[in-house]
Amino acid sequence: QVQLTESGGGLVQAGGSLRLSCAASGIVFSQYAMGWYRQAPGQQRELVADISLGGGSTNYGASVKGRFTISRDNAQNTVYLQMNSLKPEDTALYFCAQYDSGSSWGGRPVNWGQGTQVTVSS
């Protein structure tokens, strides 16, 4: 079975940083694009960032571009999200997602983690 397990969420003050990790099992990790999405209460789930199978291409949501960095370590079957300069509006449940191809272009998320909570206080 496919399992995506997020970790690293927590409570942080505005301006601080967190590093989220997503460990994958049950898939050939290096064959798939990966992404991070987030969802706040009462809001739709939105793309935060995604990364191609080898890490050569990345995309970011407009609200996080320049502050967040997605990366992956295929040897460790892990994708990361480094979040800097956090703002209260970044508060959300963050989900790791596996796409159905090596690129998010033309693809879609097909597997999801359980989510890790990020709360940014003022």
Side-chain angles (χ1 to χ4, degrees):
Q1 60 180 348
V2 178
Q3 185 165 313
L4 305 176
T5 304
E6 301 99 332
S7 62
L11 175 64
V12 65
Q13 292 185 357
S17 297
L18 285 173
R19 188 194 194 204
L20 306 184
S21 298
C22 171
S25 63
I27 60 169
V28 182
F29 180 77
S30 62
Q31 293 185 354
Y32 297 98
M34 301 293 296
W36 288 96
Y37 288 72
R38 68 186 184 186
Q39 187 168 22
Q43 303 294 316
Q44 64 181 355
R45 189 171 296 185
E46 65 175 349
L47 173 70
V48 177
D50 59 48
I51 187 167
S52 62
L53 79 174
S57 297
T58 58
N59 297 294
Y60 296 92
S63 64
V64 308
K65 191 173 180 63
R67 299 188 297 121
F68 292 9
T69 303
I70 189 170
S71 62
R72 66 192 296 161
D73 185 343
N74 286 348
Q76 296 294 321
N77 292 344
T78 302
V79 62
Y80 303 96
L81 185 69
Q82 179 66 46
M83 305 186 294
N84 298 325
S85 301
L86 283 161
K87 304 174 181 179
E89 52 262 46
D90 295 318
T91 295
L93 190 64
Y94 283 70
F95 296 91
C96 177
Q98 176 223 323
Y99 286 81
D100 59 355
S101 72
S103 174
S104 62
W105 174 255
R108 61 187 179 94
V110 293
N111 289 305
W112 298 86
Q114 82 288 348
T116 186
Q117 179 67 38
V118 172
T119 302
V120 184
S121 63
S122 60

